[in-house]
Amino acid sequence: MARSRKKLGEILVRQGACSAPQVEKGLALAQGSGKRIGEALIEAGFIKEKDVAKALAEQFGMEFVDLGSSEGVGSVQPDLIPEELIKKHFILPQGKSGNRMKLIVHDPVNIELMDMLRFRLNVEIEPRIAAKGDIKVFIENHFRSGGSIVDSKQLSADESLVTDSIDKSIDSSVDKSMDKSIDVSGDDAPIVKLWNRILTEAVNMRASDIHLEPMHDRVRLRYRIDGVCIERDNLPKRMQRALLSRIKLMSGMNIAERRIPQDGRIKLPMSEDVTIDFRVSACPIYHGESVVMRILRPDAVRIGLVNLGFEQDNLDVFNKIIRRPNGIFLVTGPTGSGKTTTLYSALDVLNRPDKKIITAEDPVEYNFEGINQCQVKESIGFTFSSILRSMLRQAPNIILVGEIRDREVGEIAIQAALTGHLVFSTLHTNDAPSAITRLIDMGIKPFLVASSIQAIMAQRLIRVLFDGSKELAQPHEIDHKFLRLIGMTPEEAEGRVYKPVPCAQSPTGYKGRKAIFEMMQMDSSIREAAFQLSPVSELRRLALQNGMRPLVDDGKLKVLSGTTTPDEIARVSQVEEGTGVID
């Protein structure tokens, strides 16, 4: 009699990936949504995709391959099978011996796929398991598809984007009398090739923005990677007109208009199944027009709650708050601090057939199937407030308001929360307690603020050390000034603080970003203080007394876990020495 296979939940608990209560919650979510237990646990933010892959490997008696390590990546031999099969089915060959092939898959129960591959490749399959996300990253990094803008040539960081052929072609296309203009529309035009190289490289380097900035003698090109601007190249001044005209043409702007700001949008295929959105903004400056292109990746907001950077206690609170039937949950922080990603990640978890979700956004950055998303259009009177009023007649369960900008929007959002809706929104404040006084300063009545808000969370994004190269910092390599700023002693830091080590895969020693959080739950004392118009200092004291962990302290935990460095926490938190309080 065949031995019964262990349950996935039991394996995950034994491996320490999650707890038994979390497995029970995951089972309930899986039954309600028709998903597998692993998918439900990932969406709930309890575990990572890699944890499920490891558990599946044990469950099916297969080998787990870590494609996040250099050893795992080095074992892949993609030339053994056709590229189309790799991309279509997310599989990777690991080696072949005689009539047997080692094949990395992400779904061991897909028997039909295994049978098809045996027939198509005429080999016996020895499956291994890796996380689907890691397989996808490998494919994106190692393959280039026809019919896309991808240039197969990879450039080094110090190599100019303007090749001799492009330079000479542009020179020959410019009439010295300036009566003729550069061709910016044909697919073979040199300026088109240059822009394709810029866009491709920026996406491959994980940039979030592309900045094209005319100077008096050159055009500066910069990428923002992991929140930090890096100068990529200085392009010749004579190319400025052609560069601007081409990007305006691609994004649907008026090429002839150079006096006022313009906005546009580009959708470009980077591979067979990946299309990238570029939000383009052109603004007149002294030496021409500055162009900023924001890169919106379709999977950027579906990274899972755990991968946002939550510590377990904050994650438990977050999961509890977003499942309440009503009230307001606010996320605060400056522009670019990841507020939208956090809220979208919450909506992704809550997006079920039995929930109606409506959003009001300016602009709609990412499209979600199953969610009703409304784009604000001020020019025709379709404002946040008018969308909100219309929303309430649509009988939603959950409402997302992109930003509370004024009293009218704030009051409607609060009324929605008080009448049985769960409302998510953002606010621009430095910390969580300040959000209460900000709303009251807008003119919203204190008792409405105090009674409607369930929790407020402040956040910042920090750069994450690249696991493949980071090293433990020696005592003499640690700057004690940064330790003081985050409230850490040299004794605590010794043997636990890591330093970034630049390498080929990460020139800065950092790769990716996570958030640090400050979670303030409302209780009776904080509600009473808000009603009495207490100052921010008193609200903060009560929140700390109620268990809130400040941003800097959350960052300290990231330092001690080897996720980031003391100077990164000090830089992002902007603390004053000796205070531990946001400046």
Side-chain angles (χ1 to χ4, degrees):
M1 187 171 122
R3 186 179 62 177
S4 61
R5 189 174 287 135
K6 296 177 183 176
K7 293 182 178 180
L8 187 68
E10 294 175 358
I11 296 172
L12 288 166
V13 172
R14 186 168 48 76
Q15 290 181 348
C18 61
S19 64
Q22 288 174 332
V23 170
E24 291 179 8
K25 291 179 184 177
L27 284 169
L29 291 171
Q31 291 171 356
S33 62
K35 296 180 182 291
R36 297 179 188 173
I37 174 67
E39 293 174 317
L41 287 169
I42 292 170
E43 288 190 358
F46 295 144
I47 58 174
K48 299 179 182 178
E49 194 178 40
K50 193 172 290 186
D51 296 325
V52 173
K54 289 179 181 177
L56 285 171
E58 180 177 331
Q59 186 181 34
F60 287 88
M62 297 178 183
E63 180 183 329
F64 170 74
V65 181
D66 185 3
L67 291 176
S69 68
S70 55
E71 182 181 353
V73 170
S75 69
V76 180
Q77 301 176 38
D79 295 335
L80 291 177
I81 64 177
E83 184 179 327
E84 59 170 300
L85 287 178
I86 292 176
K87 290 180 176 179
K88 184 176 181 180
H89 301 292
F90 291 102
I91 56 174
L92 293 171
Q94 204 179 21
K96 184 179 179 183
S97 178
N99 194 39
R100 304 188 71 83
M101 178 180 289
K102 297 176 183 177
L103 195 68
I104 300 172
V105 301
H106 64 89
D107 185 0
V109 299
N110 193 341
I111 306 301
E112 291 181 3
L113 174 62
M114 296 298 179
D115 290 340
M116 182 276 290
L117 291 172
R118 288 190 187 96
F119 176 78
R120 177 83 180 266
L121 302 173
N122 194 27
V123 294
E124 284 300 314
I125 304 295
E126 293 183 13
R128 278 97 169 99
I129 295 180
K132 185 178 180 180
D134 288 346
I135 296 175
K136 185 176 181 182
V137 168
F138 182 96
I139 293 171
E140 290 174 350
N141 289 340
H142 287 76
F143 290 95
R144 302 291 179 261
S145 302
S148 72
I149 68 164
V150 175
D151 188 335
S152 61
K153 183 179 184 296
Q154 292 294 309
L155 301 174
S156 62
D158 57 354
E159 185 179 350
S160 177
L161 287 156
V162 183
T163 62
D164 288 340
S165 61
I166 288 178
D167 204 3
K168 291 174 183 176
S169 298
I170 291 177
D171 270 348
S172 64
S173 67
V174 180
D175 186 273
K176 291 183 180 179
S177 67
M178 297 301 287
D179 289 333
K180 297 178 181 178
S181 62
I182 298 172
D183 179 12
V184 297
S185 58
D187 289 341
D188 295 326
I191 206 70
V192 174
K193 294 179 179 178
L194 176 56
W195 262 118
N196 286 351
R197 298 184 81 180
I198 293 172
L199 299 178
T200 301
E201 183 182 65
V203 170
N204 289 340
M205 291 177 70
R206 302 176 299 102
S208 59
D209 306 299
I210 302 171
H211 298 256
L212 192 74
E213 302 161 323
M215 305 292 174
H216 74 284
D217 59 347
R218 69 190 192 281
V219 180
R220 182 170 67 174
L221 175 68
R222 297 194 291 173
Y223 301 151
R224 187 183 297 276
I225 300 174
D226 294 333
V228 178
C229 276
I230 298 172
E231 188 166 308
R232 174 60 183 90
D233 208 349
N234 285 301
L235 307 175
K237 183 71 174 177
R238 65 182 180 280
M239 294 184 184
Q240 176 176 317
R241 184 159 57 100
L243 286 165
L244 293 172
S245 296
R246 173 59 187 171
I247 205 61
K248 283 184 173 183
L249 184 67
M250 292 175 72
S251 57
M253 297 182 192
N254 183 354
I255 294 178
E257 181 57 74
R258 302 187 181 95
R259 302 163 299 170
I260 60 174
Q262 295 187 71
D263 294 308
R265 182 175 181 174
I266 303 171
K267 290 179 76 74
L268 288 177
M270 302 303 293
S271 65
E272 289 179 351
D273 59 346
V274 177
T275 298
I276 302 292
D277 261 0
F278 297 83
R279 292 293 171 85
V280 188
S281 172
C283 181
I285 59 174
Y286 189 75
H287 293 293
E289 289 176 274
S290 172
V291 173
V292 177
M293 306 177 67
R294 187 175 183 192
I295 303 172
L296 303 176
R297 292 171 174 78
D299 58 349
V301 291
R302 290 183 170 92
I303 62 176
L305 293 179
V306 170
N307 295 327
L308 291 174
F310 281 109
E311 299 298 327
Q312 190 59 51
D313 56 348
N314 278 343
L315 180 60
D316 291 341
V317 173
F318 186 84
N319 274 309
K320 182 178 70 174
I321 294 294
I322 66 174
R323 286 174 171 82
R324 288 186 176 175
N326 54 55
I328 294 182
F329 178 67
L330 290 175
V331 181
T332 75
T335 301
S337 60
K339 300 186 298 296
T340 299
T341 300
T342 298
L343 290 180
Y344 274 161
S345 296
L347 291 186
D348 198 28
V349 171
L350 299 172
N351 187 14
R352 296 287 179 269
D354 61 331
K355 300 288 185 184
K356 184 175 180 69
I357 304 174
I358 305 181
T359 73
E361 304 171 63
D362 185 20
V364 174
E365 295 183 357
Y366 301 96
N367 292 316
F368 272 74
E369 186 176 351
I371 295 179
N372 304 275
Q373 296 174 271
C374 300
Q375 167 75 57
V376 171
K377 294 179 182 177
E378 299 277 356
S379 59
I380 60 172
F382 200 49
T383 61
F384 274 117
S385 56
S386 63
I387 293 174
L388 271 171
R389 289 192 187 93
S390 177
M391 274 184 184
L392 298 179
R393 294 191 289 273
Q394 295 278 312
N397 300 103
I398 300 166
I399 293 171
L400 183 145
V401 184
E403 181 186 346
I404 295 179
R405 296 178 177 176
D406 54 39
R407 180 180 62 83
E408 185 179 15
V409 173
E411 286 183 344
I412 299 172
I414 286 173
Q415 290 299 333
L418 294 175
T419 53
H421 303 85
L422 180 61
V423 180
F424 296 119
S425 192
T426 69
L427 205 61
H428 288 282
T429 62
N430 282 335
D431 59 3
S434 298
I436 292 176
T437 55
R438 174 80 181 99
L439 290 171
I440 294 172
D441 287 344
M442 284 182 182
I444 301 173
K445 293 180 173 59
F447 78 89
L448 290 176
V449 174
S451 59
S452 62
I453 294 177
Q454 297 290 346
I456 303 169
M457 186 174 75
Q459 68 177 67
R460 301 286 190 280
L461 291 178
I462 57 167
R463 291 183 295 171
V464 174
L465 287 166
F466 179 51
D467 280 333
S469 65
K470 70 180 183 181
E471 293 178 358
L472 271 174
Q474 299 303 312
H476 68 275
E477 296 176 312
I478 302 174
D479 191 329
H480 287 194
K481 177 183 72 175
F482 294 123
L483 293 181
R484 289 195 302 272
L485 285 171
I486 67 172
M488 187 183 295
T489 65
E491 290 74 26
E492 285 181 289
E494 188 172 352
R496 300 181 70 181
V497 171
Y498 284 79
K499 65 177 181 180
V501 179
C503 63
Q505 291 178 272
S506 176
T508 62
Y510 295 93
K511 192 170 185 179
R513 290 191 289 176
K514 288 189 176 182
I516 55 175
F517 300 99
E518 182 176 84
M519 178 74 76
M520 185 180 85
Q521 293 188 81
M522 297 291 283
D523 68 353
S524 57
S525 63
I526 298 176
R527 294 185 195 279
E528 179 63 25
F531 181 70
Q532 298 295 335
L533 301 178
S534 298
V536 174
S537 57
E538 175 63 13
L539 294 170
R540 186 171 190 82
R541 184 188 68 79
L542 292 170
L544 292 171
Q545 186 177 298
N546 194 36
M548 181 185 78
R549 182 168 56 246
L551 282 167
V552 176
D553 287 359
D554 200 50
K556 180 179 173 181
L557 294 178
K558 303 291 191 298
V559 172
L560 293 174
S561 66
T563 302
T564 191
T565 57
D567 48 321
E568 180 68 9
I569 297 299
R571 177 185 71 84
V572 172
S573 299
Q574 298 177 345
V575 289
E576 298 175 351
E577 187 161 2
T579 66
V581 177
I582 294 294
D583 185 6

